[in-house]
Amino acid sequence: MTAQAAPERPAVVVASKPFGESFLLAEMFAQLLESEGMRVTRRPGLGATEVAFEALRTNAIDVYPEYTGTGLLAVLRDSMTTAMREDPRRLFARVSDEFVRRYGVRWLPPLGFENGYAIAVRRETAARYQLRTLSDLARESGALQAGFTSDFIGRPDGFVGLRAFYGISLRSVRPLAPAVKYQALSTGAIDVIDGYSTDGLLARFDLITLVDDRHFFPPYEAAALVSPRVSAERADVIAVLSRLSGRLTESDVRRWNASIEVEQRPIADVARGALTELALVRAVGTATVAEKPRATTTGFLAYSWARRAETWRLIREHLVLVSIALAAAILVAVPLGVLLTRTPRAAAWVMQGLGVVQTIPSLALLAFMIPVLGIGLAPALVALWLYALLPIARATYSGVSNADPDAVAASEALGTTAWQRLWWVQLPLATPAVLAGVRTSAVITVGAATLAAFIGAGGLGEPIITGLGLADSRLVLSGALPAAALAVVVDLVLAAVERAVTPAYLRRRRVGA
């Protein structure tokens, strides 16, 4: 009797937040696990700390890179003591104990470097206003405009606390995507941004970082944060990831970040080179980051051609998201619109309710669903389905209610029942209006589906989010242009369907009108 083969263990889900260093560390985690024969699923660019941590806490992902100061202030909502500021080990002990006690989430030993917040200005701004410290910024803040990431704006260890601690009162504060803020600063659209001390983009744009002279920011030691499931069941994952602990220096990480953010080398290549430098994986025809020649910037067409296989994969993922969500919306919204014609009093309330759903920001709606549905395809489909309902339901209600009254009256005179008039007269006459609503929903859904990448659902949003995090316009366009083209193609296809199913006499009436 032969022994049964052991069941294959599930893939380890490795995630990141949407900025360059997080992409890099997550890819290093993934490649190190794969070097030991483990299957890995990547979920890059999860939006904001709250989204990433909620996904980890609920076992929707298994590991992502986090920072101890962020864990204390943004997740635990705890206070920073003087002892913690002076000794990062005390801070690590606090977050480590509390995360296990409250959430079952485990911090692995720190990776070996800190990456704190850095408030940066252009060199000419620093010279004009004599800015060297954050106290100097507080003195001149009334004349300056800031662009901060949404994560930084709302955090107690971000702008909320910084403003109260230093008395900073900026002329305006705009929420900007991680890489967009650097571009906005370089063009003079804003004067102050938040960054990270190991950002390669600080050097790329020749920025001045202001000294935290009153020591507001806590220590931010980087570490791997693992889910309750991995902590309880996957000692092998913890053992492999722990090999990185204490091995990464700030200078190395800054150099690797610059390779990605400044030289625009592929994240996977830089991660492989970094692991090779650390002797954690064997070099297989791969030079270290330091040995690799500087990447050459190719034109967008050549870049797109080189990425064609990846782009087609993302288009297929995007089409799956759009097709399923739109089909589900049609199945619900069309019958709903028809039923509401029989209960006009309820119609106003239902339409208003669907309208309220439309006003909820997409990322917020996706984040609300994580505790119930986790991340990935399921919450993205539900969110897209909700957004697609209103145009179809409203078009169906309007089309059936306003069907040619002469035709409806004639059918009634022939002795038809209400349901017979609906199926034989009103619905066929309403078909063009219904399809117009479907076209509107389809275009909305194609666009909204790009945000699904924020919760790891894939699609054409992936290169957009990654490109924004790395200030790589080619990568952003490699997702944005196919998404725009897809919206046009979907609309043209549905327009052709609309023409095909519209009765001939209605088409003639439209032409005559």
Side-chain angles (χ1 to χ4, degrees), residues 239-261:
V240 171
L241 292 176
S242 294
R243 295 179 194 169
L244 282 168
S245 297
R247 299 293 301 278
L248 279 60
T249 67
E250 186 172 328
S251 60
D252 282 341
V253 174
R254 188 180 296 114
R255 175 167 52 88
W256 297 333
N257 285 341
S259 294
I260 294 170
E261 297 170 345

Side-chain angles (χ1 to χ4, degrees), residues 42 53 61 80 113 118-119 127 150 172 218 249 263 274 277 288 315 328 355-356 374 412 419 424 444 486 495:
R42 291 165 172 80
F53 181 73
I61 61 174
M80 176 68 61
F113 74 98
I119 304 302
S150 55
S172 67
T249 67
E263 300 173 17
E277 286 183 37
T288 65
I315 288 173
V356 169
E412 185 175 2
W419 284 106
W424 296 345
I444 292 172
L486 188 60

Side-chain angles (χ1 to χ4, degrees), residues 4 13 86 110 120 150 191 256 266 292 478 483:
Q4 290 185 343
V13 182
E86 295 175 351
S150 55
D191 306 301
W256 297 333
K292 275 183 173 250
S478 73

Side-chain angles (χ1 to χ4, degrees), residues 123-476:
R123 190 171 293 277
E124 55 268 32
T125 303
R128 178 181 177 185
Y129 293 99
Q130 297 184 333
L131 303 180
R132 189 184 65 85
T133 67
L134 291 179
S135 293
D136 296 335
L137 176 64
R139 183 191 69 231
E140 304 291 343
S141 58
L144 302 174
Q145 301 182 84
F148 297 145
T149 57
S150 55
D151 202 26
F152 181 78
I153 288 174
R155 286 172 49 159
D157 60 332
F159 185 57
V160 170
L162 187 70
R163 177 175 53 192
F165 190 82
Y166 277 98
I168 295 173
S169 180
L170 292 158
R171 191 172 69 181
S172 67
V173 176
R174 303 180 189 177
L176 296 175
V180 172
K181 66 189 179 188
Y182 283 98
Q183 296 169 341
L185 184 66
S186 68
T187 61
I190 54 175
D191 306 301
V192 185
I193 64 168
D194 65 301
Y196 300 103
S197 58
T198 56
D199 274 0
L201 293 174
L202 292 172
R204 175 179 174 180
F205 290 99
D206 189 29
L207 303 180
I208 298 295
T209 58
L210 303 180
V211 176
D212 181 13
D213 52 309
R214 294 176 56 195
H215 307 290
F216 165 74
F217 291 118
Y220 289 92
E221 290 190 293
L225 196 60
V226 300
S227 66
R229 179 174 56 209
V230 167
S231 182
E233 302 173 7
R234 297 297 302 267
D236 55 336
V237 172
I238 291 174
V240 171
L241 292 176
S242 294
R243 295 179 194 169
L244 282 168
S245 297
R247 299 293 301 278
L248 279 60
T249 67
E250 186 172 328
S251 60
D252 282 341
V253 174
R254 188 180 296 114
R255 175 167 52 88
W256 297 333
N257 285 341
S259 294
I260 294 170
E261 297 170 345
V262 179
E263 300 173 17
Q264 297 187 342
R265 293 176 180 163
I267 295 171
D269 290 354
V270 175
R272 184 74 182 181
L275 291 173
T276 302
E277 286 183 37
L278 298 170
L280 292 172
V281 298
R282 290 182 298 176
V284 183
T286 303
T288 65
V289 175
E291 294 167 345
K292 275 183 173 250
R294 184 182 178 88
T296 57
T297 302
T298 60
F300 178 69
L301 291 178
Y303 178 81
S304 300
W305 180 253
R307 281 182 52 87
R308 62 190 183 280
E310 176 69 4
T311 299
W312 280 113
R313 179 187 69 81
L314 295 172
I315 288 173
R316 289 194 296 270
E317 288 183 358
H318 211 86
L319 278 172
V320 168
L321 281 168
V322 171
S323 300
I324 296 175
L326 189 62
I330 293 170
L331 290 174
V332 172
V334 171
L336 177 63
V338 171
L339 288 174
L340 290 176
T341 62
R342 299 298 186 250
T343 55
R345 290 184 179 180
W349 291 100
V350 173
M351 294 302 176
Q352 286 177 3
L354 293 177
V356 169
V357 172
Q358 291 276 351
T359 67
I360 301 174
S362 303
L363 187 56
L365 184 61
L366 291 168
F368 293 155
M369 294 181 182
I370 289 176
V372 178
L373 299 174
I375 65 168
L377 194 63
L381 288 174
V382 172
L384 294 174
W385 170 72
L386 288 171
Y387 282 124
L389 289 173
L390 179 61
I392 302 174
R394 179 179 287 165
T396 303
Y397 177 79
S398 177
V400 173
S401 298
N402 299 319
D404 189 338
D406 292 337
V408 174
S411 65
E412 185 175 2
L414 292 173
T416 58
T417 65
W419 284 106
Q420 286 172 332
R421 289 194 295 276
L422 173 66
W423 287 107
W424 296 345
V425 179
Q426 290 172 289
L427 272 178
L429 292 175
T431 297
V434 174
L435 284 173
V438 171
R439 287 175 62 184
T440 301
S441 278
V443 173
I444 292 172
T445 304
V446 170
T450 59
L451 295 174
F454 275 113
I455 57 167
L460 290 166
E462 273 191 15
I464 296 174
I465 292 169
T466 305
L468 288 173
L470 301 177
D472 188 341
S473 58
R474 295 179 307 168
L475 196 54
V476 172

Side-chain angles (χ1 to χ4, degrees), residues 493-510:
V493 169
L494 290 175
V497 173
E498 181 182 347
R499 287 194 299 271
V501 301
T502 299
Y505 82 93
L506 285 181
R507 291 201 298 271
R508 288 194 297 269
R509 179 183 296 180
R510 285 185 180 182

